[in-house]
Amino acid sequence: MTTTSGPPARSGPADPADPADPAPRATDPDDAEGTSVPSPEGAPDLCDQAQDLAESGHLKRAAKLYQRAVSANPPPRVQARALLGLAVVQDQRGDPAASREAARRALATGDTRYAPRAAYHLALSLEQEGAHGEAVRVWHRLLDLGGPAYTAVARYGLAREAELRGEEDEAEEHWEAALELPPADAAISRLHAATVVEAAGDLAGRLLERGRPDAAAVAVERGLSVGDDPGLRMLRAATHLERAIADVGSVVGAGPTEGEAGTRPRPRTSGAAVELLAGLLSLRGEPDVAERVWRLGLDNRDRDTADAVRARLRSPFAQESPEDGGEQPEPWWEVYLEEAVATSSAPALAGELFAVITQMHALLAVPVVEGESRPAALRAAMETALRTPSELVWGSSVHADFRRRLSAAMGEDVLPEQWPDGG
């Protein structure tokens, strides 16, 4: 869980453990803790030591020192610091209830430096716990504490809570406030900039899911104006993708309306639009929708348009050159390639083909490596290799193609009816 923002609070160096050794060092509270209550003046040093221990991973010891600092009843600023440190350490120790209690007490101090950080920590913890009602109250309390950075933080939290309740109008008001930037001539703090970047990405993602790419693009640009973030750049690309899908989709769906017979796109334009739209939909992770786009294009009642779509679908295919210079029949595999392109399953088809080639190679290579010379064994190996594709969708087509070629060469069909699996 993200706890507090900004650098850890420190009030100054700890007292030396040995008068002869002026170097400050963290002490074990089991050694330092005695029967006497620590003085208020010593509380800042206890906080320093606790922070050193926490940063070194000694969370239990750090918690004890923060608790001692709290028990010293120091001035409000130090008390708030000790309680905030205790809240963070208890959260890291896996005790969220104790963490939230310490954060509530730190917030109650009203300290201008540590109370806002405590509110931030507490509200996030409550959100994770599912205590959304109290989280909303803490976010509003953080608004009252002032400052543009924590105002943005609080508005972002309130926007999330409103979204969770389904209050889109209220959420929109909070989103707008969270993304509000200071005047151009005013500096923006690191916390404020980080909040705007995170909130912009969150909002843009939600808007894209709702089919509002233009609004998402505005949110993305707001975030990028204060920080160059890879996630925001990806979201900006996603908004461009959605806009492209909308533009190209309007071309694919264009047709003559009454009194406007000249608005139908030309066949070549339609073919290119279908190819581009299907590709964009596949890129968006919707191969089923992309397939429907191809199917609709191929089934277009305008024959020229359907031919243009098919030409686009087949444009990446390798062309087989006629051996005799005459007209060559369509290769048996093109129907499967066409299906693979339309369904975005070309990698799966390629994997199938490579697996079959590897298996056939292994079946034929073994007798060669072993020096097999028995005709029956060699024939059995070849027959097994020949039947390897039979179980696949395209297996019968490759067998049928060989039958056709052999029949054309010999002038008749000489193969058994169930060849190669049955004879």
Side-chain angles (χ1 to χ4, degrees):
M1 179 187 74
T2 302
T3 54
T4 59
S5 300
R10 299 196 57 152
S11 301
D15 287 336
D18 183 345
D21 179 9
R25 60 186 61 174
T27 60
D28 190 330
D30 291 335
D31 298 331
E33 194 170 15
T35 56
S36 62
V37 176
S39 67
E41 293 76 14
D45 293 335
L46 290 173
C47 289
D48 288 338
Q49 294 174 55
Q51 184 176 324
D52 288 341
L53 286 167
E55 291 173 351
S56 301
H58 301 293
L59 300 179
K60 183 177 180 180
R61 298 176 182 180
K64 286 183 178 181
L65 284 182
Y66 277 129
Q67 287 166 343
R68 291 195 71 212
V70 171
S71 68
N73 194 25
R77 167 61 57 92
V78 180
Q79 181 84 322
R81 177 191 173 190
L83 286 166
L84 175 61
L86 180 60
V88 173
V89 168
Q90 295 290 42
D91 181 69
Q92 293 172 337
R93 293 183 64 205
D95 191 346
S99 172
R100 288 192 288 272
E101 179 58 28
R104 289 187 185 97
R105 293 176 64 189
L107 175 58
T109 67
D111 180 74
T112 56
R113 179 174 182 182
Y114 297 108
R117 295 170 63 181
Y120 191 4
H121 175 94
L122 176 58
L124 290 177
S125 179
L126 290 166
E127 281 188 358
Q128 287 194 340
E129 187 69 15
H132 297 288
E134 186 179 357
V136 169
R137 290 193 292 275
V138 174
W139 287 130
H140 278 293
R141 178 76 178 90
L142 182 55
L143 273 180
D144 295 337
L145 294 174
Y150 282 109
T151 295
V153 167
R155 289 290 194 170
Y156 181 21
L158 289 169
R160 293 196 303 271
E161 292 293 341
E163 291 277 1
L164 196 62
R165 298 192 304 271
E167 301 287 347
E168 290 192 12
D169 291 342
E170 180 183 341
E172 187 171 342
E173 177 184 339
H174 290 308
W175 283 121
E176 184 60 32
L179 296 180
E180 185 176 348
L181 301 179
D185 57 348
I188 183 170
S189 70
R190 291 169 59 184
L191 172 61
H192 194 175
T195 302
V196 170
V197 168
E198 185 178 353
D202 190 353
L203 177 58
R206 296 171 190 265
L207 292 171
L208 281 171
E209 290 177 358
R210 295 169 187 166
R212 298 175 60 190
D214 292 339
V218 172
V220 166
E221 295 304 330
R222 190 82 63 89
L224 286 173
S225 69
V226 298
D228 190 0
D229 180 73
L232 285 178
R233 286 189 173 275
M234 287 296 295
L235 284 166
R236 182 163 66 181
T239 64
H240 291 322
L241 174 65
E242 294 302 319
R243 288 166 164 173
I245 288 174
D247 284 341
V248 181
S250 67
V251 176
V252 171
T257 57
E258 187 175 353
E260 296 183 355
T263 61
R264 181 190 296 274
R266 296 176 181 176
R268 289 182 62 185
T269 301
S270 292
V274 166
E275 179 185 27
L276 183 55
L277 180 58
L280 292 172
L281 289 168
S282 294
L283 188 62
R284 192 167 70 177
E286 299 183 60
D288 293 343
V289 183
E291 180 185 359
R292 288 201 296 272
V293 170
W294 278 118
R295 298 295 180 210
L296 288 171
L298 294 170
D299 295 339
N300 196 295
R301 284 182 290 182
D302 181 76
R303 194 67 264 155
D304 290 340
T305 297
D307 289 343
V309 172
R310 177 162 277 104
R312 285 285 183 168
L313 182 63
R314 294 178 171 230
S315 60
F317 297 178
Q319 302 299 317
E320 189 176 23
S321 301
E323 297 178 1
D324 55 3
E327 193 166 319
Q328 184 78 6
E330 180 180 292
W332 66 268
W333 57 82
E334 286 209 354
V335 63
Y336 299 102
L337 287 178
E338 185 175 298
E339 179 74 11
V341 173
T343 59
S344 303
S345 59
L349 177 60
E352 236 177 34
L353 289 167
F354 292 147
V356 167
I357 292 171
T358 299
Q359 188 176 353
M360 294 176 71
H361 182 273
L363 290 168
L364 295 173
V366 169
V368 173
V369 171
E370 293 179 345
E372 181 63 68
S373 60
R374 293 171 298 167
L378 292 171
R379 179 180 178 85
M382 288 188 290
E383 288 179 349
T384 303
L386 190 62
R387 287 193 290 269
T388 300
S390 297
E391 299 300 319
L392 298 170
V393 172
W394 48 268
S396 59
S397 295
V398 69
H399 296 324
D401 181 73
F402 175 73
R403 180 188 291 274
R404 179 186 63 77
R405 292 173 185 270
L406 182 63
S407 298
M410 300 189 67
E412 60 177 322
D413 186 359
V414 295
L415 294 174
E417 183 177 352
Q418 298 301 322
W419 183 92
D421 301 309

